[in-house]
Amino acid sequence: MTGLRLAAVLLAVFAASFALAQGDPRRSGYREMGPALQKMQDDDAANPAMLFVQAGAAAWAEKAAAGKSCADCHGDATASMKGVAARYPAFSAEAGKPIDLEGRINLCRTTHQQAEALAPESDGLLALSAYVALQSRGQPIAPPDDARLSNLRAEGAELYKRRQGQLNLSCANCHDDHAGRKLAGATIPQGHPTGYPIYRLEWQALGSLKRRLRNCVIGMRAEPWSYDAADYLALESFLMQRAKGMAMDAPGVRP
Amino acid sequence: MSRALAALLLLLPGAAVAQQDSMPSLTGKPGDPARGRAIVANRTVGLCLLCHGAPIPEERFQGNLAPSLAGAGSRATPDQLRLRVADAARLNPDTIMPPYYRVDGLTRVARSFQGKTILTAEQIEDVVAYLASLKD
């Protein structure tokens, strides 16, 4: 490492600890929850998402039609997948466009495993995402420093601020301007994507960040996008950038 | 500008404000405060309690994004309340209070709600009658 780079790294580390000392105003959804739910998330024996993680671990080792399993290429996920979920969405040279973690999993399936893509919100896709995301527990969210993502992030930022739907609300109206307040019985979180996929008690199921965003969009009485829409990818990219440096705590539990 | 016109303009702001601050009845008939209360209490019809508190004790989970509706009838006339419910953005363009009786100027409205106001004219009148009954 050159002296200059070392200095830059030290500066970054210093800046990060300084931000921490100053009290980072960002709060994860986990921090907004009551102690009972926090305990449920923290305890792997009580966190319902861990059942999906187990299924994901099994799927990781399962050979597909072309004879290859995820493990055949990536080895031990606890080592090779560490920090991976923390840096998606990312630009994929293979796909020629930005993709999110689910997109990456499906790209591996269709190209390297010659298997069918898993459907959005299917148990199979959620299980693999949860298993991969678990390997980033405690890792800081680290969006790639990649100019090919800039447009997508800017689009996401614009969408986040744009009012939409019959109720004429924007994401920012709730998650920036009124976070911490009560929307009926629910505390409005700042909307950080640290814990996805999450087990949501209201769903009685595991769900992706897209499903969560879809819920908010429907709540605003706006037309929900289809699961493969670039709009979700833009919002996800923006939210990850906004949560840069926050610790991943997937798979989360939410009310 | 002629002196007469200037004098006229001086008079106008007061009149304009009075006009902008209120909205006449949408139906010409008085609303029903009991029905209005039920609309306000209903989370999928009025949605009011998502954001506001109100003296409706049987509804436990009330929001605190917005001022309490208690005493609304002492703070504003029925015509003023109607404007605030129908289209609060006319008073405060940055408001998060949804426009309950407006269909224009909205983006990406869900298909099932397109071209529809959140509440009907009759429902607005019922809600206004209920709010007007909330005296401190």
Side-chain angles (χ1 to χ4, degrees):
Chain A
M1 198 183 286
T2 68
L4 207 63
R5 269 187 67 195
L6 182 65
V9 167
L10 283 177
L11 197 69
V13 168
F14 175 73
S17 52
F18 186 71
L20 214 65
Q22 288 295 298
D24 189 336
R26 294 176 304 176
R27 290 169 62 86
S28 67
Y30 172 88
R31 287 186 58 188
E32 301 292 356
M33 300 194 301
L37 282 178
Q38 289 184 340
K39 220 176 132 214
M40 189 189 278
Q41 173 167 328
D42 291 340
D43 178 357
D44 284 349
N47 183 338
M50 292 312 283
L51 288 172
F52 285 83
V53 167
Q54 279 165 25
W60 181 263
E62 214 170 88
K63 299 217 182 273
K68 275 196 178 142
S69 68
C70 313
D72 286 335
C73 289
H74 298 288
D76 180 1
T78 60
S80 66
M81 292 295 122
K82 192 172 168 186
V84 168
R87 40 172 215 266
Y88 272 80
F91 191 88
S92 158
E94 248 171 298
K97 60 178 186 190
I99 54 175
D100 54 18
L101 185 61
E102 290 101 324
R104 177 67 257 182
I105 291 170
N106 269 334
L107 194 60
C108 279
R109 282 183 62 84
T110 52
T111 59
H112 304 306
Q113 295 188 294
Q114 272 107 62
E116 299 239 306
L118 296 164
E121 303 307 298
S122 61
D123 282 357
L125 187 55
L126 288 167
L128 273 171
S129 320
Y131 181 59
V132 172
L134 175 72
Q135 315 309 329
S136 291
R137 242 191 205 171
Q139 296 288 308
I141 290 183
D145 184 7
D146 184 340
R148 291 170 299 183
L149 295 168
S150 309
N151 283 345
L152 195 63
R153 284 179 188 139
E155 256 168 60
E158 195 275 324
L159 264 181
Y160 183 83
K161 277 190 239 126
R162 191 199 298 163
R163 288 184 184 246
Q164 46 176 318
Q166 195 193 34
L167 302 189
N168 202 30
L169 294 168
S170 70
C171 315
N173 282 156
C174 284
H175 294 291
D176 286 352
D177 304 340
H178 294 91
R181 298 285 192 96
K182 290 278 185 200
L183 186 73
T187 302
I188 301 178
Q190 291 180 352
H192 295 300
T194 56
Y196 287 78
I198 55 160
Y199 187 90
R200 189 158 184 241
L201 301 181
E202 193 183 309
W203 297 334
Q204 297 276 303
L206 199 67
S208 70
L209 180 56
K210 284 197 201 86
R211 183 168 178 193
R212 174 64 260 180
L213 299 185
R214 202 179 158 84
N215 271 218
C216 283
V217 168
I218 290 171
M220 297 147 87
R221 297 194 176 176
E223 185 65 24
W225 296 290
S226 67
Y227 272 108
D228 57 0
D231 307 80
Y232 286 125
L233 200 63
L235 278 172
E236 286 173 330
S237 304
F238 167 71
L239 290 175
M240 288 297 271
Q241 184 70 25
R242 180 169 167 267
K244 183 178 176 176
M246 293 178 79
M248 290 278 290
D249 59 359
V253 173
R254 293 290 182 273
Chain B
M1 197 188 293
S2 79
R3 190 168 293 195
L5 186 59
L8 196 67
L9 282 177
L10 269 180
L11 284 174
L12 263 178
V17 165
Q19 210 177 29
Q20 275 172 9
D21 187 40
S22 64
M23 181 185 273
S25 169
L26 297 170
T27 61
K29 278 180 274 174
D32 172 1
R35 277 203 310 257
R37 186 183 190 276
I39 292 165
V40 169
N42 190 314
R43 270 142 225 277
T44 53
V45 180
L47 315 163
C48 315
L49 299 185
L50 290 181
C51 298
H52 292 275
I56 303 182
E58 70 274 20
E59 289 296 329
R60 279 182 55 223
F61 297 110
Q62 308 192 351
N64 64 7
L65 264 62
S68 167
L69 297 176
S74 324
R75 290 193 297 273
T77 66
D79 286 1
Q80 288 174 325
L81 290 168
R82 187 176 297 104
L83 178 67
R84 283 154 179 76
V85 176
D87 193 4
R90 286 203 228 162
L91 298 169
N92 170 13
D94 297 326
T95 191
I96 59 161
M97 165 90 188
Y100 279 87
Y101 200 69
R102 164 156 71 92
V103 289
D104 57 324
L106 305 175
T107 3
R108 286 189 14 81
V109 174
R111 225 163 281 146
S112 50
F113 293 111
Q114 264 169 28
K116 295 180 189 150
T117 54
I118 305 172
L119 295 178
T120 64
E122 289 72 24
Q123 286 174 317
I124 299 271
E125 292 309 318
D126 292 341
V127 167
V128 168
Y130 167 66
L131 294 175
S133 76
L134 299 178
K135 307 275 190 191
D136 273 334

